[in-house]
Amino acid sequence: MSMRQGEGEADVAPKSKRPSDSAFKQQRLPAWQPVLTARTVLPTFFVIGVLFIPIGVVLLHLSNTANELVIDYTRCKSSDPGNAGITCADYLQANTGKQCNCNIKFNLTSDFSGDVYMYYGLTNYYQNHRRYVKSRDDMQLLGQLSQTPSTDCAPFAYNPENQLPIAPCGAIANSLFNDTLKLTQGGVNIKLLNTGIAWPSDKRVKFHNPEGSLSQALKGFSKPIFWQKGLDELDPENAENNGFQNEDLIVWMRTAALPSFRKLYRRLDQTNNNYAKGLMAGEYTLNVEYRYPVVSFDGTKRMILSTTSVLGGKNPFLGIAYIVVGAICITLGLGLLLIHMRCSRSSNMEMINVNPHTQYS
């Protein structure tokens, strides 16, 4: 019995690590490798340059068709009685949590035709900081209130005075931009709309109010520490634009990727016949209720009025980028062409001057 078992083991062939004889494993598959020569590379540079420069010029022209006006109001002078001569920035530094009013007159030198949008801009403001971006409770923003907010909201999860949970919690909501910007012409207010400024997908998917009465649902919760109004008081004139679905809050909660950014604040109400075609050239006044401090971190605040073009808002970057890339390609193409012509000419001359009798010596 033992002899038969030994004979069976001897008959088993040893396993081989040699790959199978296939075209794939033996690397016999047909392959194509481009050979980069002057005849293939130089036309590519010239074609890219010839295409990109006209495209860049068109994009730059379309961007310039959008009008834009930027007003920096960081250090505007206070218009409040008793505070004349000081800036609102200095007033807020001495009176934390207070409000300062200032007025800035400006001229539109050309008509802002079509849809007109107002933005606020901040600089040196790092909304892209990792801890800042995480500091929110998405379940709370969906209207699912809990007495134990997400740990990501710390240290803005509970009010230190009464230990009530904060709604909405977190550093993003706590730092909500709260300046009020208004436009007047000839002492008459220009109506600006605070709806239609947020992404529809954000309002439909990411932000919901709790069912029932918002005021009742917020009982047992505290407003954010730096807020001067409660969540149910953000827009008392429009119940659909209040609470977690307030569009100013939704716009702010979408954090910016760069330290200098702008966010949509208002859009011109063009149902008024006086402004049906936009803002005409003339003198206007920007009225600011100044509450948001920025000088402590060397930041600035701006108000931007802008119209749109076929490509959206005014942004010359894309057109300039196309022109620069096209110019670089043409420059490289010309440089390589000169090098190729010079080297090929010198090599041809060397071949002519070679003595055939001593060539292989």
Side-chain angles (χ1 to χ4, degrees):
M1 188 71 179
S2 60
M3 290 181 63
R4 291 181 180 177
Q5 185 177 0
E7 291 176 359
E9 292 178 354
D11 294 338
V12 176
K15 292 184 178 180
S16 174
K17 294 183 179 179
R18 181 179 181 179
S20 61
D21 189 17
S22 64
F24 175 75
K25 292 186 177 181
Q26 296 298 331
Q27 298 186 11
R28 292 195 299 266
L29 290 174
W32 175 80
Q33 183 177 358
V35 179
L36 299 179
T37 64
R39 291 185 177 182
T40 58
V41 174
L42 292 179
T44 303
F45 277 110
F46 287 118
V47 168
I48 292 176
V50 170
L51 289 178
F52 273 40
I53 290 179
I55 292 174
V57 171
V58 172
L59 292 175
L60 196 59
H61 171 72
L62 291 176
S63 175
N64 290 334
T65 59
N67 293 321
E68 184 175 282
L69 174 72
V70 180
I71 297 177
D72 189 319
Y73 68 93
T74 309
R75 296 189 176 275
C76 62
K77 294 292 183 68
S78 173
S79 60
D80 295 326
N83 295 330
I86 68 171
T87 64
C88 284
D90 294 335
Y91 177 81
L92 279 194
Q93 283 190 311
N95 301 272
T96 304
K98 300 295 184 179
Q99 174 182 317
C100 177
N101 298 299
C102 65
N103 303 318
I104 302 174
K105 292 184 178 181
F106 63 93
N107 279 306
L108 290 183
T109 57
S110 59
D111 295 342
F112 277 42
S113 302
D115 296 331
V116 181
Y117 299 93
M118 177 187 284
Y119 301 81
Y120 60 85
L122 299 175
T123 63
N124 203 33
Y125 196 115
Y126 289 83
Q127 272 199 318
N128 57 359
H129 191 281
R130 182 180 63 85
R131 287 284 291 115
Y132 184 89
V133 172
K134 289 177 59 180
S135 187
R136 57 190 290 165
D137 187 344
D138 289 319
M139 298 305 296
Q140 192 183 70
L141 297 174
L142 286 171
Q144 301 178 20
L145 298 175
S146 171
Q147 291 295 317
T148 55
S150 171
T151 55
D152 290 334
C153 288
F156 301 103
Y158 297 92
N159 191 317
E161 295 181 358
N162 51 26
Q163 297 304 315
L164 290 176
I166 294 175
C169 68
I172 308 176
N174 187 67
S175 58
L176 175 68
F177 183 81
N178 61 352
D179 281 358
T180 301
L181 309 176
K182 298 179 180 178
L183 286 180
T184 61
Q185 186 180 34
V188 179
N189 284 328
I190 300 174
K191 187 176 180 181
L192 302 172
L193 302 175
N194 61 352
T195 56
I197 59 175
W199 288 22
S201 58
D202 283 354
K203 191 169 184 178
R204 186 177 62 253
V205 178
K206 295 184 178 181
F207 296 85
H208 293 287
N209 286 331
E211 296 182 0
S213 172
L214 181 60
S215 300
Q216 290 294 326
L218 291 174
K219 282 189 176 180
F221 290 86
S222 173
K223 63 180 177 63
I225 299 171
F226 292 161
W227 283 23
Q228 297 176 351
K229 296 179 180 180
L231 183 63
D232 56 339
E233 301 171 333
L234 294 178
D235 190 358
E237 298 179 359
N238 184 0
E240 295 182 357
N241 187 42
N242 212 355
F244 293 111
Q245 289 197 307
N246 178 264
E247 297 201 23
D248 285 325
L249 175 63
I250 295 174
V251 169
W252 181 257
M253 293 298 292
R254 179 170 284 276
T255 53
L258 300 174
S260 297
F261 59 88
R262 64 177 63 179
K263 292 180 182 283
L264 185 56
Y265 179 68
R266 295 290 182 266
R267 55 191 183 93
L268 178 66
D269 181 11
Q270 295 180 289
T271 58
N272 188 329
N273 292 331
N274 294 331
Y275 305 102
K277 296 181 179 179
L279 295 176
M280 299 297 104
E283 185 174 286
Y284 296 84
T285 302
L286 171 64
N287 301 313
V288 182
E289 295 178 9
Y290 198 115
R291 306 185 191 94
Y292 204 74
V294 294
V295 295
S296 59
F297 54 86
D298 297 326
T300 61
K301 297 190 290 188
R302 297 164 293 150
M303 186 280 297
I304 303 106
L305 286 177
S306 177
T307 60
T308 57
S309 66
V310 177
L311 301 175
K314 188 181 184 71
N315 187 359
F317 173 78
L318 189 59
I320 294 174
Y322 268 89
I323 294 174
V324 169
V325 172
I328 291 174
C329 287
I330 289 182
T331 304
L332 286 175
L334 291 174
L336 294 174
L337 179 61
L338 292 175
I339 293 172
H340 172 67
M341 292 176 64
R342 183 172 182 179
C343 292
S344 61
R345 186 183 302 114
S346 58
S347 61
N348 290 334
M349 292 298 295
E350 290 176 0
M351 292 294 293
I352 293 173
N353 295 331
V354 167
N355 188 340
H357 299 289
T358 61
Q359 184 175 1
Y360 300 105
S361 60

